[in-house]
Amino acid sequence: MAAPMPSVLPSFGTLNEWEASTFYPLGVRVANGGNVYVCVSEGTSAGSGGPTGTGTNIADGSCLWDFVIALAVAWAPTTAYTTGAIVTND
């Protein structure tokens, strides 16, 4: 029997959802649109929307964010997933 595969997903502890018009200090992580982002330049977030995409230095109000990882989604039959998607099947 093969040994279980170790988890390679980082632990973020409590992960808060992104909030509009909120001051974010350097290094804080938030969830938005199914992704995790880290603040790389502190400031106040925009009035709506938040960071999107998978790049770096994503502008959001006076904040800059870097994409960290996509959050896991629950597996569903007949669903197409993108390469690299993290899918759970509990």
Side-chain angles (χ1 to χ4, degrees):
M1 177 191 273
M5 190 167 150
S7 171
V8 294
L9 297 177
S11 173
F12 298 112
T14 301
L15 186 63
N16 293 320
E17 289 289 326
W18 175 89
E19 293 185 28
S21 304
T22 300
F23 176 79
Y24 286 104
L26 184 66
V28 72
R29 288 177 168 81
V30 297
N32 192 51
N35 294 326
V36 176
Y37 298 92
V38 60
C39 183
V40 295
S41 181
E42 68 182 23
T44 301
S45 61
S48 64
T52 60
T54 57
T56 59
N57 291 318
I58 301 164
D60 167 36
S62 61
C63 297
L64 290 177
W65 301 92
D66 283 356
F67 169 81
V68 177
I69 194 169
L71 294 171
V73 296
W75 178 86
T78 69
T79 299
Y81 298 100
T82 59
T83 302
I86 300 169
V87 182
T88 62
N89 188 13
D90 296 328

